[in-house]
Amino acid sequence: MASTSDFSVYYEKNTNAKISADTNSAIVETAGVVPEKTLHRQLKNRHIAMISIGGVIGTGLFLGTGNALENGGPLGLLLGYVVVGTICYSVMVSLGEMITFLPIPGGHIKLAERFVDGAFSFTMGWNYWYNWTIILPAELSAASVLVNFWDKNTKINWVWILVCLVVVVFINFLGAGAYGEAEFIFASIKVLTITGLIIIGIILDLGGGPDHDRLGFRFWKDPGPFVQYRGIPGAKGRFLGWWAVMTQAAFSFIGAEIVAVAAGEAKNPRRNLPKAIRRVYVRIVLFYIGGVFIIGLLVPSNDPGLGLGKGTASASPFVIAIKRSGIKILPHIINACLLTSAWSAASSDMYASSRALYGLAVARNAPAVFKRTTRNGLPWVALLCSAAFSFLAFMSVSSGSGKVFSWFANMTAVAGLLTWFGISVTYIRFYAGAKAQGIDRRTLPYYSNLQPFAAWYAAISCLLISLFSGWSVFLKNNWDTATFVTNYLPLIGFPILYIGAKIVKRTPVVSASRMDFHTGLAEIEAETYDEPPPKNKLEAFWQWLVCVFPVLFDSTV
């Protein structure tokens, strides 16, 4: 991989870019940020590492997979996650090239302004803020579902939601550094939990549980690898069962792009962000694909405990599997770990939504008041505004936590897919601009040989899944207004926002030859340094742990 200085020499030689002493003032003028009060780079290498690996592993995987298994069967569940995993990877390598080159506040929202147009940036920004604002009450609702494992009195769910909300708000108001430390701890617990669950699952499947029942692929045979969706016979029913998994799988994967939002507060971004992008392999292959494969081996798709509409913690297929094996205490331990994952994911949601709103204000697409930060770089106004929407979680007190979680999950999945679509479109334009201006992508801090095909694949796939996300309501006698609205509201809103912004702003699409590839490079260069060697064996082990998987899979490390 070429060094940062190699790129600077190359860029100055081939594009005649002017990187001078007044670049910093140009950055401030472009972003509209008051110099003395802006975001501070407080997130360390280990923070970014754990945020990228486990920061948004949450209730989508631990809880939502119950519905997916019930709808698609074990093979339908696995195939759904594999397909969405390939889309997620395509988005991340596209985002990786851009955000490791220009790790600026606002992330992909500001990059869309540079490489597409202002209206597209406006649309992506508000869609992204909506995405993270809506997912926050979803995680809070899920937390109350998990607590119901011990307390069956669902009438006091509001207490558990309030407790979780206070914890999340407290963590975020301590600043990015405190959020990074909390996520390091919470994400470590989640990584250990999912790793332990996969190991335990293999042991149980091979007959190592208290009942000594060797399951093998028993549930792939009976009730079968696929589910006939809504009793629809033949290949059509099996296909629809698999497609029903796609939206839920998207909800589980959404959030991988949070490293782009964290880029503006990451220390040494040119060194740490490429590592974070490469770690997406670990998350997709080991945690998600491995996790759902184990679920399909241990729990039959017709188990009565599946389905979030029932509103009980037993909807978690991991808890169901351990209870079925006859282990008495472990389900309580696992449920406690899953509860911390809900807190962690909710904390990430609040962090991302507040930074998205801050990025909108920086790009002058939201009121300037949301740019206000404390001396320590905390965007407190944006944080307060985003936190206010978390009270939507109290809807679950009357409607049921499981049902409300499903509603918010649908809305988040589609909004997240549209974010991925926007990132892919931005990269396609970035690729065209680099080609038009003679920039060799191999000199960038991170690049992928799969481009631009990966970006096109992700863009088309995201649109297709979004378009057909609510197809089930059109089946005979299956109309559900809440499902229709929650699936298609983001999809309808995206083009409306873009057309409206286009009319008001009248911003032309940025031509490839005029794209800005150099503003901000001087500041980023100044933030780049070689990481110091490990001080002790513990630090050396940590560096090995976070790098071993990328080395196995990525030749550019």
Side-chain angles (χ1 to χ4, degrees):
M1 183 181 71
S3 67
T4 307
S5 57
D6 290 339
F7 174 79
S8 299
V9 172
Y10 174 86
Y11 193 86
E12 291 176 4
K13 179 179 179 181
N14 291 275
T15 65
N16 295 318
K18 181 183 178 182
I19 304 175
S20 59
D22 62 349
T23 303
N24 287 332
S25 61
I27 298 167
V28 173
E29 181 182 352
T30 302
V33 180
V34 179
E36 62 273 17
K37 285 190 177 182
T38 184
L39 299 182
H40 295 179
R41 296 194 181 274
Q42 303 178 42
L43 297 177
K44 302 175 183 177
N45 178 24
R46 58 188 177 88
H47 297 157
I48 296 295
M50 292 311 297
I51 289 172
S52 66
I53 294 176
V56 286
I57 293 176
T59 50
L61 176 62
F62 291 133
L63 196 61
T65 43
N67 274 347
L69 178 61
E70 187 179 41
N71 289 328
L75 185 54
L77 173 66
L78 179 62
L79 291 177
Y81 269 74
V82 168
V83 171
V84 178
T86 62
I87 298 171
C88 177
Y89 178 72
S90 298
V91 171
M92 289 304 293
V93 296
S94 301
L95 178 63
E97 285 196 22
M98 297 185 292
I99 203 63
T100 57
F101 171 48
L102 288 169
I104 55 177
H108 50 280
I109 300 170
K110 285 294 291 181
L111 293 175
E113 184 178 35
R114 287 197 183 194
F115 303 121
V116 186
D117 70 346
F120 198 70
S121 174
F122 174 90
T123 305
M124 282 189 63
W126 282 109
N127 177 77
Y128 198 62
W129 175 79
Y130 164 86
N131 175 24
W132 286 101
T133 302
I134 291 300
I135 196 175
L136 175 57
E139 300 289 359
L140 296 175
S141 299
S144 64
V145 173
L146 292 167
V147 171
N148 291 155
F149 179 75
W150 299 295
D151 184 3
K152 304 300 181 183
N153 184 9
T154 58
K155 292 182 180 180
I156 61 171
N157 275 355
W158 67 271
V159 176
W160 310 124
I161 293 173
L162 184 61
V163 170
C164 184
L165 177 58
V166 170
V167 171
V168 169
V169 171
F170 177 75
I171 290 172
N172 275 270
F173 266 94
L174 290 178
Y179 161 75
E181 291 293 347
E183 274 309 289
F184 180 79
I185 296 171
F186 281 137
S188 298
I189 294 173
K190 285 190 288 187
V191 169
L192 291 174
T193 299
I194 187 62
T195 304
L197 286 171
I198 291 173
I199 294 172
I200 292 171
I202 295 172
I203 294 172
L204 295 178
D205 185 66
L206 296 177
D211 56 2
H212 300 293
D213 183 13
R214 190 179 188 280
L215 298 175
F217 284 82
R218 179 186 303 173
F219 299 134
W220 286 51
K221 298 177 181 178
D222 182 23
F226 288 99
V227 170
Q228 301 296 145
Y229 190 80
R230 305 286 182 179
I232 299 173
K236 179 180 179 182
R238 292 190 292 273
F239 173 80
L240 294 178
W242 164 72
W243 191 264
V245 175
M246 300 291 274
T247 303
Q248 191 282 323
F251 172 72
S252 297
F253 278 103
I254 293 301
E257 73 287 344
I258 194 174
V259 293
V261 178
E265 295 177 275
K267 292 185 177 181
N268 200 13
R270 278 280 180 86
R271 295 285 189 264
N272 293 331
L273 290 177
K275 299 175 185 177
I277 296 296
R278 294 186 182 99
R279 291 182 190 115
V280 75
Y281 280 115
V282 181
R283 183 179 171 195
I284 294 174
V285 177
L286 178 60
F287 300 144
Y288 284 96
I289 306 303
V292 299
F293 177 68
I294 293 298
I295 287 172
L297 293 177
L298 300 180
V299 183
S301 58
N302 59 0
D303 188 286
L306 296 173
L308 287 170
K310 301 176 181 63
T312 62
S314 61
S316 170
F318 289 104
V319 175
I320 292 173
I322 295 172
K323 289 178 67 176
R324 287 175 65 94
S325 69
I327 302 176
K328 300 297 183 182
I329 300 177
L330 192 56
H332 296 274
I333 298 174
I334 296 302
N335 203 69
C337 293
L338 301 191
L339 184 59
T340 65
S341 78
W343 290 348
S344 169
S347 181
S348 292
D349 301 339
M350 188 171 291
Y351 172 83
S353 61
S354 62
R355 270 51 177 189
L357 188 55
Y358 172 84
L360 280 165
V362 164
R364 300 174 184 173
N365 289 327
V369 66
F370 294 118
K371 291 192 299 183
R372 292 186 179 179
T373 63
T374 64
R375 292 180 180 178
N376 297 327
L378 177 71
W380 63 275
V381 179
L383 188 57
L384 278 175
C385 179
S386 298
F389 285 85
S390 62
F391 289 99
L392 290 172
F394 290 100
M395 292 170 55
S396 63
V397 175
S398 59
S399 300
S401 297
K403 186 179 294 184
V404 171
F405 173 80
S406 298
W407 290 343
F408 285 130
N410 290 340
M411 298 169 75
T412 298
V414 177
L417 287 168
L418 292 173
T419 292
W420 285 2
F421 166 77
I423 291 172
S424 302
V425 170
T426 302
Y427 177 80
I428 291 169
R429 297 296 301 148
F430 172 89
Y431 182 91
K435 186 176 181 179
Q437 297 186 28
I439 299 174
D440 186 354
R441 292 172 38 254
R442 290 174 295 181
T443 63
L444 302 180
Y446 175 89
Y447 81 98
S448 172
N449 291 323
L450 298 176
Q451 299 295 3
F453 309 107
W456 279 106
Y457 165 70
I460 295 171
S461 299
C462 289
L463 275 185
L464 284 176
I465 297 175
S466 300
L467 185 61
F468 294 105
S469 61
W471 59 269
S472 62
V473 300
F474 298 108
L475 296 176
K476 186 177 181 181
N477 299 324
N478 200 46
W479 175 261
D480 184 75
T481 302
T483 301
F484 177 81
V485 171
T486 55
N487 276 279
Y488 288 112
L489 180 63
L491 185 62
I492 295 171
F494 197 90
I496 291 176
L497 283 173
Y498 181 70
I499 294 172
K502 199 73 174 173
I503 293 173
V504 173
K505 290 178 171 291
R506 300 183 181 276
T507 53
V509 175
V510 182
S511 64
S513 60
R514 295 179 61 85
M515 290 179 184
D516 181 7
F517 281 89
H518 63 84
T519 299
L521 280 181
E523 182 188 49
I524 295 166
E525 291 278 1
E527 296 282 352
T528 303
Y529 54 88
D530 292 329
E531 294 286 347
K535 298 178 181 178
N536 50 52
K537 292 183 178 180
L538 182 61
E539 289 189 5
F541 172 76
W542 167 251
Q543 289 189 10
W544 170 84
L545 185 64
V546 299
C547 293
V548 61
F549 287 102
V551 168
L552 292 174
F553 289 102
D554 197 324
S555 61
T556 62
V557 175

